[in-house]
Amino acid sequence: MKKRIIALVLATLIAALTFGLAGCGSKTDDGNTTAAPDASTPAGTTETKTFTMGIDPEYPPFSYLGKDGEYTGFDVEVCKAVCDKLGWEFKVFAVNWDEKLVQLDSNECDCVWSGMTILDSMKEAGYVISRPYFDNEQVLLVKEGSGFASSKDLAGKAVAVQLGTSGESLLNEDLKDLADTFSEVVTCDSFLKCFTELEGNAVDAVFVDRPVADSYVAEHEGFVIIDEDLGAEQYGIAFRSGDRALCAEVEGAIDALVADGTYAKIAAKYEDIDAGNLLFLK
Amino acid sequence: MTLMTIITKMAVGLEKTCAIFFLTLLFAIPLGMIVALLRGSKIKIVSWIAKAYISVLRGTPLMLQLIAVTYGPYYLFGISISRNKLIPVVIAFAINYAAYFAEIYRSGIESMPVGQYEAAQVLGYSRIQTFFKIILPQVIRRILPSVTNEIVTLVKDTSMAFTVSYQEMFTIGKQIANSQTSFVPFIVAGVFYYVFNAIVGFVMGRVEKRMNYYKM
């Protein structure tokens, strides 16, 4: 008798779960979609085109998960405005940053737009890259009071960098001599992990893009940026090799946003992004 | 970057992959036996603790355990994160794999017929002698295929150490793949893992043959 009751309870539970999940499933198609007005229509079948931007979800201030649980950031807001302008349905897809181009190729997203540094190797591999939109530099972030004043002081010290970022490429190529003076270059799967490693004393410095460092220093106490420009570079948006027209369309929309002042308005929200470095505003 | 440079660079990481692999086995195999014996203990509380251990470590992802072991002490007690990542990585892997090994050992021990214990008792073997001289060798022979399965999985799981920024072979492969915008390092990684596991399979096959004496 007891066994039968337990079986009954279990069966009810399983049934409830199955129907419950099925119910959820019909409402949203996956966890990566953000508040799209009509998410139940499958992508591509209706007249409204869906534009999926690929972002690194841990890359403030350009792209990150906001306090309300929705993806936000400078790049995300600009892309949203672009989609509004062009009448596209806007979607966000969080990529695995070290495999972003593979994910772009496999149509998981339509562009990679997330504080992405333009590398020559991307162009050589055939990707369509938009006009650069941001002048970036690489800096070293260290703990306050650690006494490191320049990159030379870090000889024999461990430095963390995010895997797949331009900083990591720089340390492997143009800044190889500097990297060789470090005791170790530790690659992490996100910048937030790099910062955790620094906070927990597992490394002595983090090699990172200036706006990311600025935004981190603004929100966390006890960190300083070594004022030394270690590598100038530019951000761009990557599209698949056949999407030259799409790229032109997006660039055109950004130009329109610049003209009507929306772009500057979005930029004003992000203090950590130096407006002087935003190339579309020049 | 030529294929040769890619291979040499990744081979450096392979050393770290091997370090995780061998150290994990070194600790997990005996630890698993201890857990299995405790689980079979007649003292309720002891067997209950061992059950809880297995339940938690099998019930949560290895990735989570890696993060917990590496960063947990810092967040909870402010202890600096270890600079030598091999230590937390091996601890996490060893406690995780010990849970799986414990269950494999248990399945082997419980599969032995009671008659053997009775016969050993009649012949005057002590309980310890019975276990080590009669039961254990047969158990080992029986569980070898399952153990091989776990070891093969371990080879592939080593790539998860990147979660806590340990620079093993696959991480280095990803680094090269990024800076060169190339797919070759992944192919190289695949070959490395496959060859590693082929060797594991071969060695374990030989061990199985050697243990055939204990086959019933």
Side-chain angles (χ1 to χ4, degrees):
Chain A
M1 190 60 197
K2 220 178 192 176
K3 265 187 190 162
R4 279 179 84 179
I5 293 173
I6 292 172
L8 207 74
V9 169
L10 272 176
T12 327
L13 260 177
I14 291 168
L17 267 175
T18 325
F19 285 112
L21 287 178
C24 294
S26 66
K27 269 175 225 136
T28 52
D29 35 10
D30 62 72
N32 273 318
T33 48
T34 55
D38 188 13
S40 57
T41 43
T45 54
T46 46
E47 323 80 67
T48 43
K49 179 190 163 90
T50 307
F51 185 72
T52 310
M53 82 182 296
I55 61 159
D56 177 349
E58 297 181 50
Y59 207 67
F62 289 95
S63 51
Y64 56 97
L65 201 60
K67 292 211 165 67
D68 56 355
E70 300 280 348
Y71 291 120
T72 184
F74 177 72
D75 284 345
V76 176
E77 287 202 39
V78 171
C79 185
K80 210 182 271 174
V82 163
C83 287
D84 285 346
K85 189 127 246 164
L86 296 169
W88 293 346
E89 193 180 307
F90 168 77
K91 263 193 183 181
V92 176
F93 178 76
V95 300
N96 200 344
W97 195 245
D98 51 277
E99 271 148 48
K100 54 188 179 294
L101 295 176
V102 177
Q103 291 184 295
L104 176 64
D105 275 335
S106 56
N107 289 314
E108 286 182 272
C109 52
D110 298 311
C111 68
V112 176
W113 186 348
S114 188
M116 186 197 72
T117 300
I118 303 170
L119 296 181
D120 289 336
S121 67
M122 291 175 186
K123 290 181 183 164
E124 282 160 22
Y127 294 98
V128 174
I129 311 286
S130 73
R131 264 160 39 211
Y133 67 91
F134 186 77
D135 261 334
N136 179 46
E137 53 183 14
Q138 296 284 336
V139 292
L140 284 157
L141 181 79
V142 294
K143 270 195 161 177
E144 209 164 23
S146 57
F148 302 124
S150 80
S151 56
K152 286 185 191 68
D153 296 342
L154 286 163
K157 304 289 177 191
V159 176
V161 68
Q162 183 188 353
L163 181 63
T165 58
S166 56
E168 191 231 324
S169 310
L170 269 176
L171 290 179
N172 271 325
E173 283 152 29
D174 293 0
L175 293 178
K176 184 108 188 67
D177 294 341
L178 174 66
D180 285 342
T181 66
F182 302 150
S183 68
E184 193 185 1
V185 174
V186 178
T187 52
C188 309
D189 55 6
S190 79
F191 264 124
L192 298 182
K193 210 162 267 170
C194 292
F195 295 139
T196 305
E197 300 266 340
L198 177 63
E199 213 184 320
N201 295 317
V203 297
D204 302 285
V206 176
F207 192 55
V208 57
D209 295 16
R210 163 90 64 183
V212 180
D214 279 338
S215 136
Y216 196 76
V217 167
E219 286 188 15
H220 300 81
E221 272 178 38
F223 297 97
V224 284
I225 296 168
I226 295 181
D227 210 8
E228 182 182 350
D229 181 4
L230 289 166
E233 52 183 37
Q234 294 180 318
Y235 287 171
I237 311 160
F239 297 87
R240 279 181 291 273
S241 56
D243 283 346
R244 205 162 286 280
L246 183 68
C247 174
E249 222 173 333
V250 169
E251 282 178 348
I254 297 176
D255 282 332
L257 292 172
V258 171
D260 70 13
T262 318
Y263 197 82
K265 224 179 274 169
I266 295 172
K269 279 202 237 170
Y270 295 91
E271 289 169 16
D272 304 321
I273 299 173
D274 188 351
N277 288 336
L278 283 169
L279 302 170
F280 275 88
L281 290 179
K282 281 186 180 166
Chain B
M1 197 179 280
T2 64
L3 182 63
M4 206 52 222
T5 2
I6 292 177
I7 293 172
T8 8
K9 276 199 150 187
M10 287 175 72
V12 177
L14 192 61
E15 210 173 284
K16 294 195 159 188
T17 298
C18 289
I20 308 176
F21 175 77
F22 288 113
L23 288 173
T24 301
L25 285 186
L26 181 70
F27 294 114
I29 286 177
L31 184 61
M33 184 50 91
I34 295 169
V35 175
L37 292 176
L38 292 181
R39 195 189 185 292
S41 164
K42 289 206 176 66
I43 308 162
K44 271 273 158 60
I45 181 90
V46 172
S47 87
W48 190 83
I49 290 171
K51 267 187 205 165
Y53 172 89
I54 294 168
S55 168
V56 169
L57 285 153
R58 284 202 315 184
T60 55
L62 176 56
M63 197 178 267
L64 187 75
Q65 291 162 18
L66 273 166
I67 293 174
V69 172
T70 313
Y71 301 117
Y74 171 70
Y75 281 121
L76 295 176
F77 313 110
I79 301 165
S80 286
I81 298 167
S82 169
R83 290 213 170 204
N84 184 0
K85 283 284 161 57
L86 186 60
I87 301 167
V89 166
V90 167
I91 293 175
F93 269 90
I95 57 171
N96 177 280
Y97 272 82
Y100 287 95
F101 281 134
E103 285 297 273
I104 293 176
Y105 296 152
R106 184 173 70 94
S107 71
I109 294 169
E110 288 183 357
S111 75
M112 298 308 294
V114 193
Q116 291 208 12
Y117 290 92
E118 290 165 353
Q121 204 182 1
V122 170
L123 292 170
Y125 280 83
S126 74
R127 277 188 57 192
I128 299 199
Q129 276 177 327
T130 313
F131 183 76
F132 283 103
K133 293 236 161 85
I134 300 168
I135 303 296
L136 193 59
Q138 298 180 78
V139 165
I140 291 173
R141 172 63 188 82
R142 280 192 181 182
I143 61 170
L144 266 181
S146 318
V147 169
T148 309
N149 242 347
E150 278 307 307
I151 296 179
V152 166
T153 311
L154 172 62
V155 172
K156 294 174 288 181
D157 275 358
T158 53
S159 61
M160 238 188 272
F162 174 54
T163 318
V164 293
S165 319
Y166 183 70
Q167 315 291 304
E168 41 69 57
M169 188 256 288
F170 198 60
T171 311
I172 295 183
K174 285 203 261 192
Q175 289 173 12
I176 303 170
N178 268 301
S179 62
Q180 309 294 314
T181 320
S182 143
F183 200 70
V184 179
F186 294 126
I187 298 167
V188 174
V191 172
F192 270 142
Y193 284 120
Y194 182 76
V195 171
F196 199 145
N197 272 330
I199 296 170
V200 168
F202 175 76
V203 171
M204 294 305 282
R206 289 294 288 267
V207 176
E208 259 179 59
K209 256 196 192 140
R210 289 275 300 272
M211 298 289 290
N212 265 348
Y213 173 74
Y214 296 102
K215 200 172 171 187
M216 288 204 307

